[in-house]
């Protein structure tokens, strides 16, 4: 996995200037690339994930340097593109980045080991379809022209009357 970092679409995007025309395709490509790389290494990732709690050195590789680097890089990308006006962040950059990483990891790695049937019971998870769906969701949620009006949280429940 470490050898893949220099070749990630995210790495290339961070070293390139932002262009509004290319932005949705660039972001979609970053999400798809991340998903595909996670899927390519799913067995290794699952093994490391399961053993990390018992081996601090392994935990640092996966949860520290590995995931932290991905989240930080994606947050930096999102922040730069927001400042350039080509993306809108629906929340803090680090939270949005972590959500993207976790969604990709859930579907590319963890769901393949889940004993429960797939959502539509049609057989194995179609990585190409899931990667495309995640990329579309993320692009639509962060493209300025397509942003819905701000969504507000529901009011907090009232305490019971005494």
């Amino acid at each position: 996995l470490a050898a893949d970092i220099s070749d990630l679409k995210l790495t290339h995007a961070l070293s390139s200037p932002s262009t509004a025309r290319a932005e949705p395709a660039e972001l979609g490509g970053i999400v798809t690339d991340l998903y595909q790389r996670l899927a390519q290494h799913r067995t290794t990732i699952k093994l490391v994930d399961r053993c990390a709690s018992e081996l601090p050195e392994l935990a640092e590789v996966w949860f520290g340097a590995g995931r932290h680097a991905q989240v930080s890089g994606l947050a930096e990308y999102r922040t730069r593109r927001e400042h350039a006006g080509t993306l809108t962040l629906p929340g803090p950059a680090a939270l949005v980045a972590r959500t993207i990483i976790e969604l990709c990891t859930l579907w590319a790695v963890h769901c393949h080991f889940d004993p429960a049937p797939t959502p539509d019971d049609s057989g194995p998870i179609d990585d190409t379809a899931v990667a495309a769906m995640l990329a579309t969701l993320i692009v639509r949620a962060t493209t300025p022209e397509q942003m819905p009006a701000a969504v507000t949280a529901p009011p907090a429940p009232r305490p019971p009357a005494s």
Side-chain angles (χ1 to χ4, degrees), residues 81-156:
R81 297 315 194 244
E82 182 183 41
H83 289 297
T86 58
L87 289 178
T88 302
L89 289 173
L95 178 60
V96 173
R98 174 78 185 264
T99 301
I100 293 168
I101 298 296
E102 295 299 340
L103 280 171
C104 288
T105 304
L106 171 70
W107 283 98
V109 178
H110 301 300
C111 284
H112 287 270
F113 296 94
D114 190 337
T118 57
D120 62 3
D121 292 331
S122 64
I125 294 170
D126 180 348
D127 283 323
T128 302
V130 174
M133 177 201 63
L134 291 175
T136 300
L137 286 171
I138 292 162
V139 167
R140 286 185 181 175
T142 59
T143 300
E145 301 85 14
Q146 297 175 353
M147 284 298 294
V151 178
T152 58

Side-chain angles (χ1 to χ4, degrees), residues 29-43:
I30 289 168
V31 172
T32 302
D33 181 51
L34 173 64
Y35 184 98
Q36 289 169 342
R37 289 172 193 270
L38 289 166
Q40 179 182 357
H41 299 287
R42 81 171 42 103
T43 303

